[in-house]
Amino acid sequence: MFMRIDHIGIACNDLEEKIALFSGLFELTVVAREVNEEQGVKEAMLHIADGEGGGSYIQLLEPLDADSPVGKFLARRGEGVHHVAFGVPDVAGAMEQIGAKGVRLLDKHPRHGSMGSSIAFLHPKDVGGMLTELVQAARP
Amino acid sequence: MFMRIDHIGIACNDLEEKIALFSGLFELTVVAREVNEEQGVKEAMLHIADGEGGGSYIQLLEPLDADSPVGKFLARRGEGVHHVAFGVPDVAGAMEQIGAKGVRLLDKHPRHGSMGSSIAFLHPKDVGGMLTELVQAARP
Protein backbone atom coordinates (compact mmCIF):
# COMPACT_ATOMS: atom_id res chain seq x y z
CA MET A 1 0.00 0.00 0.00
CA PHE A 2 2.77 2.48 0.94
CA MET A 3 5.22 3.16 -1.90
CA ARG A 4 7.41 5.72 -0.15
CA ILE A 5 7.65 8.14 2.77
CA ASP A 6 6.32 11.17 0.89
CA HIS A 7 7.13 13.89 3.41
CA ILE A 8 7.68 14.99 6.99
CA GLY A 9 5.47 17.99 7.75
CA ILE A 10 7.19 20.39 10.18
CA ALA A 11 5.26 23.20 11.86
CA CYS A 12 7.19 26.44 12.21
CA ASN A 13 6.63 30.05 13.21
CA ASP A 14 8.59 31.64 10.38
CA LEU A 15 8.63 29.87 7.01
CA GLU A 16 11.41 31.95 5.45
CA GLU A 17 13.70 31.45 8.43
CA LYS A 18 13.18 27.68 8.40
CA ILE A 19 13.65 27.43 4.61
CA ALA A 20 17.01 29.15 5.07
CA LEU A 21 17.89 26.83 7.98
CA PHE A 22 16.98 23.51 6.34
CA SER A 23 18.28 24.32 2.87
CA GLY A 24 21.52 25.67 4.36
CA LEU A 25 22.15 22.80 6.79
CA PHE A 26 21.25 19.92 4.54
CA GLU A 27 21.79 21.26 1.00
CA LEU A 28 18.12 20.84 0.11
CA THR A 29 16.35 22.73 -2.69
CA VAL A 30 12.89 24.30 -2.45
CA VAL A 31 10.83 22.84 -5.31
CA ALA A 32 7.42 24.35 -4.44
CA ARG A 33 5.89 27.11 -2.39
CA GLU A 34 2.15 27.33 -1.86
CA VAL A 35 -0.55 28.94 0.21
CA ASN A 36 -3.29 26.44 1.13
CA GLU A 37 -6.21 28.51 2.43
CA GLU A 38 -8.29 25.41 3.13
CA GLN A 39 -5.65 24.07 5.53
CA GLY A 40 -4.70 27.53 6.79
CA VAL A 41 -0.99 27.28 5.96
CA LYS A 42 1.72 28.63 3.77
CA GLU A 43 4.27 26.00 2.96
CA ALA A 44 7.41 24.98 1.13
CA MET A 45 8.56 21.57 -0.14
CA LEU A 46 12.28 20.75 0.06
CA HIS A 47 13.23 17.86 -2.19
CA ILE A 48 15.16 14.89 -0.78
CA ALA A 49 14.75 12.04 -3.28
CA ASP A 50 12.60 10.56 -6.01
CA GLY A 51 10.78 7.31 -5.38
CA GLU A 52 8.01 5.07 -6.65
CA GLY A 53 5.01 7.18 -7.68
CA GLY A 54 6.49 10.49 -6.45
CA GLY A 55 9.19 12.15 -4.38
CA SER A 56 10.28 12.45 -0.76
CA TYR A 57 10.34 15.89 0.85
CA ILE A 58 10.59 17.95 3.99
CA GLN A 59 7.46 20.11 4.11
CA LEU A 60 7.69 23.32 6.15
CA LEU A 61 4.37 24.72 7.37
CA GLU A 62 3.64 28.19 8.76
CA PRO A 63 0.06 28.83 9.93
CA LEU A 64 -1.91 31.64 8.29
CA ASP A 65 -3.54 32.36 11.65
CA ALA A 66 -3.42 31.16 15.25
CA ASP A 67 -6.83 29.43 15.00
CA SER A 68 -5.77 27.10 12.18
CA PRO A 69 -4.85 23.48 13.04
CA VAL A 70 -1.13 24.19 12.62
CA GLY A 71 -1.46 27.42 14.64
CA LYS A 72 -3.07 25.50 17.49
CA PHE A 73 -0.40 22.78 17.24
CA LEU A 74 2.35 25.40 17.60
CA ALA A 75 0.67 26.95 20.65
CA ARG A 76 0.33 23.52 22.28
CA ARG A 77 3.57 21.78 21.31
CA GLY A 78 5.92 24.32 19.74
CA GLU A 79 7.85 23.87 16.53
CA GLY A 80 8.52 20.36 15.30
CA VAL A 81 7.08 17.39 13.43
CA HIS A 82 3.38 17.96 12.78
CA HIS A 83 2.56 14.96 10.56
CA VAL A 84 4.05 12.23 8.38
CA ALA A 85 2.84 11.47 4.85
CA PHE A 86 3.09 8.23 2.90
CA GLY A 87 2.74 7.81 -0.86
CA VAL A 88 -0.04 5.52 -2.10
CA PRO A 89 -1.02 4.64 -5.68
CA ASP A 90 -4.72 5.45 -5.15
CA VAL A 91 -5.72 7.64 -2.23
CA ALA A 92 -9.47 6.91 -2.46
CA GLY A 93 -8.79 3.18 -2.48
CA ALA A 94 -6.37 3.45 0.44
CA MET A 95 -8.92 5.48 2.45
CA GLU A 96 -11.55 2.81 1.88
CA GLN A 97 -9.21 -0.02 2.78
CA ILE A 98 -7.87 1.68 5.94
CA GLY A 99 -11.28 3.01 6.99
CA ALA A 100 -12.68 -0.54 6.75
CA LYS A 101 -10.12 -1.56 9.41
CA GLY A 102 -11.62 0.90 11.90
CA VAL A 103 -9.29 3.89 11.49
CA ARG A 104 -11.10 7.22 11.62
CA LEU A 105 -10.58 9.31 8.47
CA LEU A 106 -10.31 13.06 9.06
CA ASP A 107 -11.38 13.64 5.44
CA LYS A 108 -14.47 12.09 3.89
CA HIS A 109 -13.12 12.63 0.38
CA PRO A 110 -9.62 13.24 -0.96
CA ARG A 111 -8.65 16.90 -0.98
CA HIS A 112 -5.97 19.03 -2.56
CA GLY A 113 -2.45 18.67 -1.17
CA SER A 114 0.95 20.06 -2.13
CA MET A 115 2.01 20.15 -5.76
CA GLY A 116 -1.31 18.98 -7.18
CA SER A 117 -1.51 15.84 -5.05
CA SER A 118 -4.69 14.25 -3.65
CA ILE A 119 -4.50 13.65 0.09
CA ALA A 120 -6.38 12.46 3.16
CA PHE A 121 -5.54 12.47 6.86
CA LEU A 122 -6.01 9.65 9.37
CA HIS A 123 -6.85 10.22 13.04
CA PRO A 124 -3.59 10.14 15.03
CA LYS A 125 -5.18 8.23 17.93
CA ASP A 126 -5.86 5.32 15.59
CA VAL A 127 -2.29 5.32 14.18
CA GLY A 128 -0.06 5.17 17.26
CA GLY A 129 -0.24 8.91 17.99
CA MET A 130 1.09 9.92 14.56
CA LEU A 131 -0.98 12.32 12.47
CA THR A 132 -0.79 10.37 9.20
CA GLU A 133 -1.40 11.66 5.68
CA LEU A 134 -1.96 9.56 2.57
CA VAL A 135 -0.65 11.16 -0.65
CA GLN A 136 -1.39 10.31 -4.24
CA ALA A 137 1.05 12.46 -6.21
CA ALA A 138 -0.10 14.38 -9.30
CA ARG A 139 0.61 12.60 -12.57
CA PRO A 140 3.85 13.90 -14.07
CA MET B 1 23.79 15.26 1.61
CA PHE B 2 20.44 13.51 2.28
CA MET B 3 19.83 10.53 -0.01
CA ARG B 4 16.51 9.41 1.45
CA ILE B 5 14.17 9.61 4.43
CA ASP B 6 15.53 6.55 6.23
CA HIS B 7 12.88 6.15 8.90
CA ILE B 8 10.26 7.66 11.17
CA GLY B 9 10.92 6.62 14.78
CA ILE B 10 7.66 6.17 16.70
CA ALA B 11 7.65 5.81 20.49
CA CYS B 12 5.13 3.31 21.82
CA ASN B 13 4.18 1.59 25.07
CA ASP B 14 3.72 -1.89 23.63
CA LEU B 15 5.91 -2.93 20.71
CA GLU B 16 3.99 -6.11 19.83
CA GLU B 17 0.66 -4.29 19.81
CA LYS B 18 2.01 -1.57 17.50
CA ILE B 19 3.72 -4.04 15.17
CA ALA B 20 0.34 -5.74 14.75
CA LEU B 21 -1.38 -2.37 14.21
CA PHE B 22 1.02 -0.93 11.62
CA SER B 23 1.62 -4.15 9.70
CA GLY B 24 -2.11 -4.86 9.64
CA LEU B 25 -3.24 -1.38 8.60
CA PHE B 26 -0.61 -0.66 5.98
CA GLU B 27 0.52 -4.12 4.81
CA LEU B 28 4.08 -3.55 6.04
CA THR B 29 6.55 -6.33 6.84
CA VAL B 30 8.86 -6.45 9.87
CA VAL B 31 12.40 -6.86 8.53
CA ALA B 32 14.34 -6.51 11.80
CA ARG B 33 13.81 -6.70 15.55
CA GLU B 34 16.51 -5.61 17.97
CA VAL B 35 17.22 -4.68 21.55
CA ASN B 36 19.53 -1.66 21.78
CA GLU B 37 20.71 -1.52 25.41
CA GLU B 38 22.77 1.62 24.78
CA GLN B 39 19.67 3.53 23.69
CA GLY B 40 17.38 1.73 26.16
CA VAL B 41 14.89 0.46 23.58
CA LYS B 42 13.55 -2.62 21.93
CA GLU B 43 12.54 -1.94 18.39
CA ALA B 44 11.21 -3.20 15.08
CA MET B 45 11.78 -1.96 11.52
CA LEU B 46 8.85 -2.14 9.08
CA HIS B 47 9.97 -1.85 5.47
CA ILE B 48 8.37 0.70 3.16
CA ALA B 49 10.72 1.12 0.18
CA ASP B 50 14.28 0.83 -1.07
CA GLY B 51 16.20 3.96 -1.97
CA GLU B 52 19.66 5.31 -2.64
CA GLY B 53 22.12 3.86 -0.13
CA GLY B 54 19.48 2.06 1.95
CA GLY B 55 15.78 1.63 2.67
CA SER B 56 12.88 3.60 4.14
CA TYR B 57 11.17 2.27 7.24
CA ILE B 58 8.79 2.88 10.09
CA GLN B 59 10.75 2.20 13.28
CA LEU B 60 8.71 1.27 16.36
CA LEU B 61 10.42 1.92 19.71
CA GLU B 62 9.44 0.61 23.14
CA PRO B 63 11.54 1.81 26.08
CA LEU B 64 13.35 -0.78 28.20
CA ASP B 65 12.69 1.36 31.27
CA ALA B 66 10.97 4.60 32.24
CA ASP B 67 14.27 6.45 32.75
CA SER B 68 15.48 5.94 29.17
CA PRO B 69 15.14 8.81 26.68
CA VAL B 70 12.17 7.15 24.96
CA GLY B 71 10.60 6.34 28.34
CA LYS B 72 10.83 10.00 29.35
CA PHE B 73 9.46 11.08 25.97
CA LEU B 74 6.41 8.84 26.45
CA ALA B 75 5.79 10.21 29.94
CA ARG B 76 5.99 13.79 28.65
CA ARG B 77 4.32 13.57 25.24
CA GLY B 78 2.63 10.19 24.91
CA GLU B 79 2.89 7.86 21.94
CA GLY B 80 3.82 9.32 18.56
CA VAL B 81 6.72 10.48 16.40
CA HIS B 82 9.93 10.52 18.43
CA HIS B 83 12.49 11.34 15.70
CA VAL B 84 13.10 11.40 11.98
CA ALA B 85 16.16 9.85 10.31
CA PHE B 86 17.78 10.73 6.98
CA GLY B 87 20.17 8.58 4.98
CA VAL B 88 23.63 10.00 4.29
CA PRO B 89 26.55 8.42 2.40
CA ASP B 90 29.08 9.11 5.19
CA VAL B 91 27.80 9.78 8.70
CA ALA B 92 31.14 11.04 10.08
CA GLY B 93 31.49 13.49 7.18
CA ALA B 94 27.90 14.68 7.56
CA MET B 95 28.41 15.22 11.33
CA GLU B 96 31.49 17.33 10.65
CA GLN B 97 29.78 19.36 7.94
CA ILE B 98 26.60 19.99 9.97
CA GLY B 99 28.48 20.59 13.22
CA ALA B 100 30.59 23.24 11.47
CA LYS B 101 27.36 25.13 10.76
CA GLY B 102 26.65 25.45 14.49
CA VAL B 103 24.27 22.53 15.04
CA ARG B 104 24.87 20.72 18.34
CA LEU B 105 25.62 17.02 17.86
CA LEU B 106 24.19 14.73 20.54
CA ASP B 107 26.85 12.15 19.67
CA LYS B 108 30.55 12.91 19.49
CA HIS B 109 31.22 9.85 17.35
CA PRO B 110 28.95 7.68 15.19
CA ARG B 111 27.31 4.88 17.14
CA HIS B 112 25.44 1.68 16.35
CA GLY B 113 21.94 2.03 14.92
CA SER B 114 19.37 -0.40 13.55
CA MET B 115 20.44 -3.18 11.21
CA GLY B 116 24.17 -2.51 11.48
CA SER B 117 23.95 1.16 10.54
CA SER B 118 26.14 3.98 11.88
CA ILE B 119 24.13 6.86 13.28
CA ALA B 120 24.30 10.22 15.05
CA PHE B 121 21.64 12.50 16.49
CA LEU B 122 21.35 16.29 16.09
CA HIS B 123 19.93 18.55 18.81
CA PRO B 124 16.25 19.18 18.02
CA LYS B 125 16.45 22.84 19.07
CA ASP B 126 18.94 23.46 16.25
CA VAL B 127 16.80 21.67 13.64
CA GLY B 128 13.38 23.29 13.91
CA GLY B 129 12.24 21.26 16.90
CA MET B 130 12.75 17.90 15.13
CA LEU B 131 14.98 15.30 16.78
CA THR B 132 17.04 14.42 13.71
CA GLU B 133 19.10 11.30 13.11
CA LEU B 134 21.73 10.78 10.42
CA VAL B 135 22.01 7.19 9.16
CA GLN B 136 24.72 5.54 7.15
CA ALA B 137 23.29 2.12 6.30
CA ALA B 138 25.40 -1.02 6.66
CA ARG B 139 27.02 -2.19 3.43
CA PRO B 140 24.92 -4.90 1.84
Side-chain angles (χ1 to χ4, degrees):
Chain A
M1 181 186 297
F2 285 174
M3 299 188 293
R4 64 187 185 281
I5 302 174
D6 188 275
H7 65 263
I8 316 296
I10 302 172
C12 64
N13 292 311
D14 183 332
L15 184 64
E16 296 309 320
E17 179 200 299
K18 286 302 185 297
I19 289 172
L21 178 74
F22 278 87
S23 59
L25 285 180
F26 305 131
E27 301 167 356
L28 301 173
T29 303
V30 175
V31 291
R33 285 172 185 259
E34 289 177 52
V35 173
N36 188 323
E37 299 278 355
E38 189 193 21
Q39 291 180 41
V41 291
K42 58 179 179 175
E43 59 174 68
M45 299 292 274
L46 283 71
H47 179 260
I48 294 174
D50 292 315
E52 192 188 347
S56 288
Y57 308 89
I58 286 176
Q59 180 188 57
L60 299 171
L61 300 161
E62 180 190 322
L64 294 177
D65 59 75
D67 282 341
S68 64
V70 174
K72 288 177 185 167
F73 175 91
L74 281 171
R76 201 171 61 245
R77 296 219 142 182
E79 295 187 320
V81 177
H82 175 261
H83 69 270
V84 179
F86 299 93
V88 295
D90 167 16
V91 69
M95 290 169 75
E96 194 177 324
Q97 208 176 327
I98 293 167
K101 292 174 182 166
V103 171
R104 284 165 286 177
L105 308 174
L106 299 182
D107 300 295
K108 285 195 178 159
H109 306 284
R111 54 184 168 126
H112 296 298
S114 303
M115 302 189 298
S117 61
S118 295
I119 65 164
F121 281 93
L122 310 180
H123 198 301
K125 292 209 171 151
D126 297 340
V127 193
M130 172 174 64
L131 178 56
T132 302
E133 180 183 342
L134 308 174
V135 178
Q136 179 183 346
R139 293 188 183 279
Chain B
M1 181 188 295
F2 286 174
M3 300 188 292
R4 65 189 184 280
I5 303 174
D6 187 275
H7 64 263
I8 316 296
I10 302 172
C12 64
N13 293 311
D14 183 332
L15 184 63
E16 296 308 320
E17 178 200 300
K18 287 302 185 297
I19 288 172
L21 178 74
F22 278 86
S23 59
L25 285 180
F26 305 131
E27 300 168 356
L28 300 173
T29 303
V30 175
V31 291
R33 285 172 184 259
E34 289 177 52
V35 173
N36 188 322
E37 298 277 357
E38 189 193 22
Q39 291 178 42
V41 292
K42 59 180 179 174
E43 58 176 68
M45 299 292 273
L46 283 70
H47 180 259
I48 295 174
D50 292 317
E52 193 189 345
S56 290
Y57 307 89
I58 287 176
Q59 180 187 57
L60 299 172
L61 300 161
E62 180 189 322
L64 294 177
D65 59 77
D67 282 342
S68 64
V70 174
K72 288 177 185 166
F73 175 91
L74 281 171
R76 201 170 64 246
R77 297 219 141 182
E79 295 187 318
V81 177
H82 174 262
H83 68 271
V84 179
F86 299 93
V88 295
D90 167 16
V91 69
M95 290 170 74
E96 194 177 325
Q97 207 176 327
I98 292 167
K101 292 176 182 166
V103 171
R104 284 166 286 178
L105 308 174
L106 299 182
D107 300 294
K108 286 195 177 160
H109 305 286
R111 54 183 167 126
H112 296 298
S114 305
M115 301 189 297
S117 61
S118 294
I119 65 164
F121 281 92
L122 310 180
H123 198 302
K125 292 209 171 152
D126 296 339
V127 194
M130 172 173 66
L131 179 56
T132 302
E133 180 183 341
L134 308 173
V135 178
Q136 178 183 344
R139 293 190 184 278

